[in-house]
Amino acid sequence: MNFWEILGAWVGAFFVISVLTMLWKDNPYFRFGQQAIIGATIAHYVLFNMKNVLNMALIPISKGNVILVVPLILGLLMYTRLSPDHAWFSKYPTSVLVGVGIGVMIAGTLRGQIIDQVKATVVDIFTAGTTFDLMNGIIIAVGTVTAITFWLFTREHKGALGASAKIGRIFLMVSLGTNWAGEEVWYLTQIIGRLIFLINVWIKGAILGMA
Amino acid sequence: MVEKEPANIWIKLGNIDYRWLYALSFVLMVIPILRPIGLPTLVSEPTKGYYNAIVSLPPGSVVAVSFQGSAALLDEQEAQFIATWKILFERDLKVIFYCPSSDGVIILNEELEKIVKPEKYGKVYGVDYVRLGYAPLGETGEAALATNIRSVFPTDLYGTPLDEIPMMKDINDHTDIDLLIFQHTACTSVEWPIRQWVVPYGMKVITMTLGCCGPMAAPYYPKQILGFLAGSGMGTELEVLSGHPGPGAVMSDAKNFGVLGLLVFLVFGNLSYLGKRFGRKE
Amino acid sequence: MIIRTGTYLDLILLIVLVVASWYYMNKAIRGEKLPMLRKIPAIDAIVEGVGRSIEQDRPVHYAMGASGGQLYSTLVSMTLAGIAMLRYIAKLCARYGARLIVHMPYQAESIPLIEATAREGYLEEGKPEMFRLEDLRYYGQGSLTWTQGVTSSFAQEGVGLNLEVGIFYSDCPISLEMAKIMGGMNVGGTGRWIMVYAFAMMCDYVFLGEEIYAAGAIVSDNPLMLSGIVIEEVGKYFVFLLLAIGIVLAAIGLDVGTLLSM
Amino acid sequence: MSFARRELPTILLTACGVLMLLAFFTPFDAFQTVKGTLTTWTIVISATSTWLGFIYMGYAQYRMLQRNPTLAQKIYFITPFAFFLLFFFVGVSFPGDLSSPQYNWLFQNIYRQVGATIYAIMFFTLASAAYRTFTVASIEAIALLTGGVIYMLRQIPLFPYFAPWLVPLGEWILLVPNVGGGRGAVICAALAALVVGLRTLWGREITLVEV
């Protein structure tokens, strides 16, 4: 390991341990690390976006693409929020962003999250090759329909609707449990990765010089 | 004391300070990292399919590797990568590496130069393996590559035109490639090689991916893809199967141990619940 | 063709929703009675939580997620749901005199909207002087710095009610669990199903998935917003209809996969 | 005045949204160009506004120092600015800017190293939450517990070795009941998001109009 690698291991370990102490309790070491990371991440965020402004607005404007002055001014209008009298100017850039966002959202949601889901539910049943697949397809369809009934707000959940919503809730709970398990094992890999870094790279490599 | 107030145990069992759980998990995970144990691993069918797809290739076959590595997700996949590179290099195969992500180039560099070292297996750059570098391919790029490699990568990573590389002289499209190893970190990308390589040309494809993406790959095995590796667990399986112990073994041991603390506490929590419940009835 | 192929069904669904919106919103404007709405317990829990915070002399924390200020992505509606809830909690805090700390998302472009909404909440209750700008916290990009900052704030300033509604990725488990460990009361939810498990497991009262949108409408107490829930209901029945038609057509041997790709 | 404060931003919002939808539903190139332009604009607007975060962070830190002017607080106050400056100057002063090896060193050893630690912390928080909630208290809780524990054990190498049936069972839970429940949840959330979007385009979303 060269000097910079060793220093890097020390710096990395310093911050990793600082974060991990949060599990024990709040302490000055954790707070120092936390404050440092705020500064670092804001700088990173600002730098990347300044680069975007430069490449996507300032350089094209200097080359004659003058229309890009408009978003630049709209972006600057965001800062009027800092002056109570002119704060309402910031509604303009916000409106453009939200307008575009809603266009993107509607276009993306209709197909991917609704129609394709319905399609998959129907197709799974009718393309099933075996009885087992067919049964699974039907279970998925039942789960989908009952889960939706759980979110019907305009009727009391009584009688048939109540039973359906109850079944839907069980499907939802299994789904939540599975999501938990998927994430938990994935995070387990990550904590082990950090521990391997601390033990093999920092302690063995940088401190004991064994690498 | 304890016998007189049995309910107290149950309440205590359900209210243990979480920090004991955290500390227990920590200790359990550190043990196998310091001293790998090598707990047994079941080698699953997709892993066997993956391994067999490589070892059954006749000598001199050409393998293309689409390597989309991501630095942030390396813990999950490094075992798969290293074991795969070792299996490839110890056989008489010609390997083409290309990267649809910029991270991929850096990771591959680290792994080939520092860990696997192809020259150790007597492999020569340009004769036995080639690195084509990075291009933001996407699904259309993978399709273009299948019909004409030179349209996407006119040169290799070091800027040498492909025609000047001995190994690449006769290789230009899917007909010259015998196996595609497709590595991806977005779950739905598993469909790319299937749509672009398997369906139109009937290519042999195997894939490597994250643990969470395994279930998305499973429906395509064994018809469209001959095998797949998902997550560090299956990376360990490949290490066991191929006899190349690596980072996966430590990871698996630590996983096996790390989860024990949680299981113990789950039992505590349920005992506490049942104890409180039946304690109340009496 | 005027309509792009492959978007016919999308358009039909959109038209159904537009017509339903037009019908029910007009009904709401005319002041006609809307169907009764099922109770969501988490809404009452918010008021209870604010009361508890005042009793214990601890602040109320509100968060929309480390990445919850997405104004121009497909998740924009979830941001708006978070904003609607912010307005409500600001009003409640102003009304009962609790201190509100807002942990802002990293998207700086959403800050003006967040500040305006929080101010508006206090203004509506006639207590604009209670609004404190320094209680809008910003932590930079990434879920780590955000969770660190939130945890640190819980530890130093205390946590009474911790309300989290909006777009959550891997940031919610830590902030929710830390609030719980430090004795706070958690209420919250997100529309991203993959993260709902964290809310279901860690919150005292949870908005399951879609309920965050319904809750935003219910707390606004505005008939126009409330009519939205009925409009969604129309959409749900349309989905049932689509499913039924699909199954019938598939049963008589048509290629439903292609039909539903129109 | 009122028009410029209230109606005009709403009109702007609706126009942007409708243009994006036209680009999605119609095949005309003109709308595609407009869509491209608007997308670039949103990036420029949001990139220009990044300094707002820095300003709000600075103000909150300053007020905290004012209220509690101890030495420790002074150190906490200076830290984020020090790290901001460190990242900022390293980011702009070396050739290659953000891709320079110097900035990359900072990024890898502080930003990324610490960023990965978040997942590690997550493992512990999810574990303690499971300890609290994974009980056999009700049918829903049992569903949560079963889904969670079985799918977790399926992913830990040791357990399938002794109980090979965990693999197909775990996969079945993931691909059948989980998909059923999850699909219903996704459809409902998507419909709700669409309704909010349409209401906003209509200029009826009070959250935006009144502010």
Side-chain angles (χ1 to χ4, degrees):
Chain A
M1 281 174 116
N2 67 27
F3 170 74
W4 287 106
E5 281 172 351
I6 292 176
L7 187 67
W10 275 95
V11 170
F14 177 86
F15 283 105
V16 168
I17 296 173
S18 151
V19 179
L20 289 175
T21 61
M22 159 168 132
L23 288 168
W24 188 249
K25 64 177 200 182
D26 187 42
N27 61 72
Y29 175 30
F30 165 66
R31 277 200 73 188
F32 174 80
Q34 178 244 329
Q35 292 288 70
I37 297 295
I38 289 186
T41 55
I42 294 184
H44 184 69
Y45 179 56
V46 166
L47 281 170
F48 258 84
N49 282 295
M50 287 304 102
K51 209 173 171 184
N52 273 344
V53 172
L54 189 71
N55 291 337
M56 298 181 71
L58 296 179
I59 292 176
I61 289 171
S62 70
K63 285 183 182 157
N65 194 349
V66 192
I67 189 78
L68 282 167
V69 171
V70 179
L72 202 60
I73 291 174
L74 282 172
L76 291 173
L77 281 181
M78 285 282 193
Y79 294 88
T80 58
R81 186 67 246 175
L82 299 168
S83 143
D85 292 340
H86 306 98
W88 59 276
F89 280 113
S90 65
K91 282 180 82 171
Y92 286 93
T94 307
S95 296
V96 173
L97 294 183
V98 175
V100 172
I102 288 175
V104 171
M105 183 272 290
I106 292 181
T109 305
L110 287 167
R111 172 73 43 184
Q113 301 193 4
I114 301 177
I115 295 170
D116 276 353
Q117 303 293 330
V118 172
K119 182 170 108 184
T121 310
V122 177
V123 170
D124 276 356
I125 298 178
F126 287 93
T127 54
T130 62
T131 324
F132 184 64
D133 285 347
L134 178 67
M135 201 185 71
N136 287 342
I138 292 172
I139 294 175
I140 292 179
V142 169
T144 309
V145 171
T146 52
I148 295 177
T149 59
F150 168 74
W151 276 292
L152 290 177
F153 291 99
T154 54
R155 274 163 218 261
E156 277 296 318
H157 286 180
K158 285 184 197 149
L161 181 63
S164 169
K166 181 104 185 149
I167 296 171
R169 235 182 122 83
I170 292 171
F171 272 99
L172 293 174
M173 288 299 146
V174 173
S175 176
L176 291 178
T178 322
N179 288 346
W180 172 86
E183 302 254 314
E184 180 73 337
V185 175
W186 156 241
Y187 299 144
L188 178 59
T189 319
Q190 296 288 323
I191 173 75
I192 295 168
R194 283 318 92 208
L195 288 175
I196 291 177
F197 162 76
L198 286 179
I199 293 174
N200 289 351
V201 179
W202 179 53
I203 297 181
K204 287 191 182 165
I207 300 183
L208 303 175
M210 278 160 61
Chain B
M1 272 297 277
V2 176
E3 274 94 339
K4 275 180 193 166
E5 295 172 288
N8 259 342
I9 293 187
W10 306 125
I11 293 172
K12 271 187 194 160
L13 216 47
N15 290 322
I16 304 171
D17 194 324
Y18 300 130
R19 284 177 287 196
W20 288 110
L21 166 59
Y22 300 162
L24 179 65
S25 304
F26 250 119
V27 173
L28 285 170
M29 278 183 249
V30 169
I31 295 170
I33 297 175
L34 291 175
R35 188 171 277 277
I37 298 153
L39 290 170
T41 303
L42 177 81
V43 180
S44 59
E45 290 302 318
T47 311
K48 284 183 198 157
Y50 182 94
Y51 182 67
N52 289 336
I54 302 178
V55 296
S56 65
L57 289 173
S61 300
V62 178
V63 178
V65 181
S66 173
F67 187 71
Q68 197 200 6
S70 155
L73 305 170
L74 200 55
D75 292 332
E76 181 79 346
Q77 287 199 276
E78 195 164 25
Q80 305 170 359
F81 301 159
I82 292 178
T84 304
W85 309 155
K86 285 180 178 166
I87 298 168
L88 287 175
F89 285 128
E90 70 184 6
R91 287 187 166 65
D92 181 15
L93 299 171
K94 305 211 176 294
V95 188
I96 305 167
F97 293 100
Y98 62 92
C99 302
S101 78
S102 53
D103 274 13
V105 180
I106 302 167
I107 297 173
L108 199 58
N109 206 38
E110 288 277 309
E111 288 182 348
L112 292 189
E113 313 233 310
K114 291 194 181 155
I115 303 170
V116 181
K117 296 180 183 153
E119 64 277 6
K120 232 170 53 186
Y121 298 88
K123 301 293 175 183
V124 182
Y125 184 82
V127 180
D128 300 299
Y129 72 104
V130 170
R131 296 181 54 197
L132 298 183
Y134 161 65
L137 292 172
E139 184 170 351
T140 44
E142 294 283 345
L145 205 78
T147 50
N148 184 359
I149 294 176
R150 282 166 177 74
S151 71
V152 187
F153 293 103
T155 66
D156 73 350
L157 179 63
Y158 310 103
T160 319
L162 292 196
D163 292 322
E164 291 173 19
I165 299 173
M167 182 188 129
M168 293 302 290
K169 279 210 171 97
D170 303 322
I171 299 177
N172 196 38
D173 63 11
H174 64 91
T175 53
D176 307 317
I177 293 171
D178 301 294
L179 177 72
L180 173 71
I181 301 180
F182 186 77
Q183 188 272 327
H184 60 102
T185 48
C187 294
T188 48
S189 306
V190 67
E191 293 165 8
W192 295 1
I194 292 170
R195 281 198 290 257
Q196 305 307 338
W197 291 73
V198 178
V199 173
Y201 312 119
M203 285 277 303
K204 284 187 190 168
V205 173
I206 52 181
T207 68
M208 289 191 265
T209 186
L210 303 171
C212 55
C213 300
M216 264 64 105
Y220 300 106
Y221 166 83
K223 276 187 218 150
Q224 281 105 334
I225 50 178
L226 301 176
F228 67 91
L229 301 180
S232 64
M234 291 171 95
T236 317
E237 294 174 15
L238 187 66
E239 286 177 358
V240 171
L241 198 59
S242 63
H244 293 292
V250 176
M251 185 62 90
S252 279
D253 283 353
K255 262 188 176 175
N256 290 333
F257 267 68
V259 85
L260 292 178
L262 170 59
L263 287 177
V264 169
F265 270 72
L266 283 186
V267 173
F268 284 175
N270 278 293
L271 281 179
S272 159
Y273 170 76
L274 293 172
K276 274 189 269 184
R277 185 169 165 184
F278 291 108
R280 216 180 296 142
K281 270 186 185 166
E282 285 160 19
Chain C
M1 281 303 275
I2 300 175
I3 308 296
R4 185 198 296 276
T5 36
T7 63
Y8 295 133
L9 263 180
D10 306 41
L11 192 62
I12 293 172
L13 177 57
L14 188 64
I15 290 171
V16 168
L17 289 175
V18 168
V19 171
S21 298
W22 180 79
Y23 178 75
Y24 282 106
M25 288 207 299
N26 273 331
K27 229 173 152 172
I29 292 169
R30 286 199 302 272
E32 283 177 39
K33 216 171 162 299
L34 291 166
M36 189 217 58
L37 298 175
R38 174 164 67 83
K39 257 196 167 336
I40 300 176
I43 293 176
D44 301 329
I46 297 176
V47 184
E48 182 201 322
V50 173
R52 221 182 76 129
S53 305
I54 295 168
E55 263 169 41
Q56 299 172 330
D57 194 25
R58 290 168 169 181
V60 171
H61 292 260
Y62 181 73
M64 298 163 60
S67 186
Q70 303 182 23
L71 293 181
Y72 56 99
S73 81
T74 48
L75 298 176
V76 57
S77 293
M78 237 179 275
T79 309
L80 295 179
I83 293 279
M85 198 51 92
L86 168 62
R87 184 196 190 87
Y88 177 63
I89 191 72
K91 271 166 78 172
L92 279 185
C93 287
R95 191 180 304 157
Y96 298 115
R99 179 176 170 209
L100 173 67
I101 298 177
V102 180
H103 302 286
M104 296 194 290
Y106 83 79
Q107 285 93 350
E109 68 268 20
S110 67
I111 293 178
L113 184 58
I114 292 171
E115 194 201 317
T117 310
R119 266 186 201 281
E120 177 90 6
Y122 281 90
L123 198 66
E124 270 180 45
E125 291 294 318
K127 295 179 184 167
E129 73 288 349
M130 273 181 67
F131 175 77
R132 291 167 36 155
L133 193 63
E134 73 259 34
D135 282 339
L136 300 182
R137 302 289 163 76
Y138 184 82
Y139 305 108
Q141 187 176 18
S143 42
L144 179 95
T145 171
W146 190 86
T147 38
Q148 266 186 316
V150 174
T151 309
S152 175
S153 164
F154 288 163
Q156 281 143 36
E157 293 159 297
V159 45
L161 169 69
N162 175 37
L163 179 63
E164 305 201 351
V165 174
I167 307 169
F168 287 86
Y169 295 83
S170 43
D171 41 5
C172 59
I174 299 179
S175 53
L176 289 170
E177 189 68 9
M178 288 296 161
K180 190 95 204 157
I181 289 175
M182 293 177 197
M185 171 179 168
N186 281 327
V187 180
T190 177
R192 292 188 70 243
W193 184 246
I194 191 86
M195 290 317 291
V196 173
Y197 75 89
F199 287 90
M201 289 170 70
M202 295 168 180
C203 285
D204 300 86
Y205 294 91
V206 57
F207 297 111
L208 270 182
E210 195 219 311
E211 285 178 356
I212 60 163
Y213 299 102
I218 293 172
V219 298
S220 74
D221 211 19
N222 177 310
L224 263 179
M225 300 272 283
L226 284 171
S227 70
I229 302 178
V230 187
I231 301 162
E232 274 166 42
E233 222 91 322
V234 174
K236 283 169 204 162
Y237 288 115
F238 183 75
V239 167
F240 288 150
L241 185 72
L242 210 58
L243 256 175
I245 294 177
I247 288 173
V248 169
L249 291 183
I252 60 172
L254 289 175
D255 181 5
V256 176
T258 320
L259 280 176
L260 284 175
S261 305
M262 283 205 318
Chain D
M1 198 60 175
S2 162
F3 177 76
R5 272 188 186 222
R6 279 172 166 265
E7 279 81 9
L8 199 58
T10 312
I11 293 171
L12 194 62
L13 188 155
T14 311
C16 291
V18 170
L19 283 171
M20 294 297 282
L21 283 180
L22 285 173
F24 175 68
F25 282 114
T26 64
F28 306 119
D29 288 342
F31 290 123
Q32 293 303 325
T33 318
V34 172
K35 180 184 167 188
T37 310
L38 280 176
T39 313
T40 316
W41 282 24
T42 53
I43 297 170
V44 173
I45 293 173
S46 77
T48 315
S49 62
T50 41
W51 286 95
L52 269 178
F54 180 74
I55 295 168
Y56 279 74
M57 185 277 290
Y59 182 73
Q61 298 281 352
Y62 166 71
R63 293 284 298 170
M64 245 181 265
L65 178 69
Q66 254 190 346
R67 250 184 289 140
N68 181 19
T70 56
L71 176 68
Q73 195 63 46
K74 277 177 191 154
I75 296 174
Y76 294 145
F77 175 73
I78 294 168
T79 315
F81 296 100
F83 273 79
F84 180 87
L85 292 176
L86 174 71
F87 265 69
F88 196 85
F89 282 109
V90 172
V92 293
S93 39
F94 291 97
D97 297 341
L98 298 182
S99 29
S100 67
Q102 288 82 356
Y103 188 79
N104 201 37
W105 186 89
L106 275 183
F107 182 76
Q108 289 296 333
N109 289 304
I110 299 181
Y111 194 93
R112 199 186 75 75
Q113 194 63 265
V114 175
T117 316
I118 183 123
Y119 299 111
I121 301 271
M122 207 92 72
F123 170 78
F124 295 106
T125 57
L126 290 189
S128 52
Y131 167 50
R132 203 170 51 240
T133 51
F134 276 13
T135 55
V136 287
S138 64
I139 180 123
E140 275 117 0
I142 292 173
L144 185 72
L145 171 78
T146 328
V149 172
I150 291 180
Y151 188 55
M152 176 176 77
L153 295 183
R154 181 257 169 271
Q155 297 174 84
I156 305 291
L158 193 61
F159 292 91
Y161 183 80
F162 290 114
W165 49 267
L166 270 173
V167 176
L169 181 63
E171 230 98 278
W172 181 82
I173 288 182
L174 184 77
L175 292 173
V176 180
N178 172 41
V179 168
R183 208 172 258 170
V186 166
I187 291 177
C188 285
L191 281 168
L194 284 173
V195 171
V196 172
L198 285 175
R199 187 164 65 215
T200 313
L201 281 190
W202 217 288
R204 300 286 195 192
E205 174 69 35
I206 60 154
T207 349
L208 283 173
V209 172
E210 309 247 320
V211 169

